[in-house]
Amino acid sequence: MIAVLDEAHAPDAKPRPAVDLRDVSKVYANGRQALAEVDLTIPAGDFVFLVGPSGAGKSTLIRLLLRDELPTTGLIRVGSYEVSAMRSRDVPRLRRHIGTVFQDFKLLPRKTVRENVAFALEVTGSPRRLVSTAVDRVLELVGLTAQAEQRPAQLSGGEQQRTAIARAMVHQPRVFIADEPTGNLDPLISWEIIRLLLHINDLGTTVLMATHNAEVVTALRKRVVALDEGRVVRDAVGGYHGSH
Ligand SMILES: Nc1ncnc2c1ncn2[C@@H]1O[C@H](COP(=O)(O)OP(=O)(O)O)[C@@H](O)[C@H]1O
Ligand SMILES: [Mg+2]
């Protein structure tokens, strides 16, 4: 019998994790150590909260995943991307593999909702016909079809964040990273955003969300990774142990 086994069919093959950090440390140029010996594996399809007090290293960890910063030591993989060792010319592909949103929505004020989302695709050279179909699809996903022709100033904070989420999802990323996405939103609107991220996760996207929102973290029985002074101090399902 001749068996041809590729990696995916080998009996001992494990599925590739969505995110993998091995012994990652980050010391900024000013000598500040933001992360220390962080090991973190996020299986594909998971929903993970990243918590911890201000200055714990949450945003630094996210910047390393996006290759906005390089680790001082350690290995970082996102899907098949060796983030800590990749060539700069491959970085745009990594950034399309990861959708990101932040506390501030970073929308272009003169463009409509539709144009803000379309712009993300146009800059990567997508054909016009594909752009309009993809934009319609993500606007429906985030529930903004009716607001498509409005400008950011005409939107509520929650709608602005949903526009940012649509823009981040338009490349159909495998991983979605949100750094304090509800930091500027009131509790009710925050829940709407969380429900949207849970829905995106249900559709198969791995989600990593950094947050101070203890109410949300406690209410949802999801994996919670807690950082303190750059170290992982807790990694368990449920509960919020941030001190601020
Ligand atoms: N660009 C930078 N240069 C120097 N120190 C930084 C820089 N960015 C963050 N830090 C420091 O690194 C630590 C972690 O910051 P950060 O990752 O922003 O934490 P968090 O997002 O959990 O609040 C803090 O002490 C912060 O002051
Ligand atoms: Mg931060």
Side-chain angles (χ1 to χ4, degrees):
M1 189 177 81
I2 299 169
V4 180
L5 296 177
D6 61 30
E7 192 195 348
H9 296 103
D12 57 350
K14 291 204 186 87
R16 205 195 286 281
V19 171
D20 206 13
L21 287 87
R22 299 280 172 87
D23 203 14
V24 169
S25 296
K26 174 65 181 176
V27 181
Y28 283 109
N30 64 359
R32 178 54 127 154
Q33 175 141 27
L35 293 175
E37 294 152 31
V38 171
D39 287 307
L40 176 63
T41 302
I42 303 178
D46 264 23
F47 188 111
V48 177
F49 285 119
L50 185 61
V51 304
S54 205
K58 305 181 294 296
S59 295
T60 297
L61 193 155
I62 287 171
R63 286 199 289 270
L64 293 178
L65 295 177
L66 297 171
R67 212 181 189 271
D68 280 341
E69 293 280 351
L70 283 167
T72 308
T73 57
L75 290 177
I76 301 174
R77 268 176 165 274
V78 176
S80 60
Y81 296 91
E82 293 273 4
V83 179
S84 42
M86 69 198 293
R87 295 166 300 188
S88 337
R89 70 162 193 247
D90 293 329
V91 172
R93 282 201 301 134
L94 168 75
R95 305 241 171 103
R96 289 198 291 278
H97 180 86
I98 307 175
T100 40
V101 294
F102 301 92
Q103 180 165 347
D104 53 334
F105 317 121
K106 301 184 198 290
L107 300 174
L108 299 167
R110 294 180 167 298
K111 290 189 185 287
T112 64
V113 167
R114 168 182 296 285
E115 288 164 350
N116 265 279
V117 176
F119 189 63
L121 278 178
E122 286 160 2
V123 294
T124 63
S126 299
R128 217 185 185 82
R129 180 177 48 84
L130 296 185
V131 170
S132 104
T133 315
V135 172
D136 286 344
R137 181 175 43 76
V138 284
L139 290 182
E140 194 180 333
L141 171 74
V142 305
L144 283 181
T145 304
Q147 288 86 350
E149 307 312 326
Q150 293 181 13
R151 290 197 164 68
Q154 300 170 287
L155 301 173
S156 69
E159 288 168 339
Q160 291 183 45
Q161 188 58 294
R162 282 192 277 147
T163 305
I165 291 170
R167 180 181 54 191
M169 286 301 291
V170 79
H171 293 293
Q172 300 185 270
R174 300 303 305 143
V175 180
F176 192 91
I177 298 179
D179 193 354
E180 315 247 11
T182 62
N184 281 334
L185 303 173
D186 62 38
L188 208 65
I189 304 300
S190 295
W191 271 111
E192 284 180 18
I193 296 298
I194 303 297
R195 271 197 292 273
L196 178 54
L197 296 185
L198 290 168
H199 178 58
I200 284 168
N201 178 239
D202 281 342
L203 296 175
T205 311
T206 307
V207 176
L208 175 65
M209 171 175 165
T211 186
H212 273 110
N213 194 328
E215 185 201 314
V216 165
V217 173
T218 309
L220 298 172
R221 303 284 302 165
K222 297 291 186 190
R223 181 175 169 198
V224 182
V225 174
L227 287 175
D228 195 12
E229 297 187 354
R231 291 179 189 277
V232 176
V233 293
R234 184 169 175 275
D235 185 349
V237 173
Y240 180 91
H241 286 236
S243 48
H244 298 283

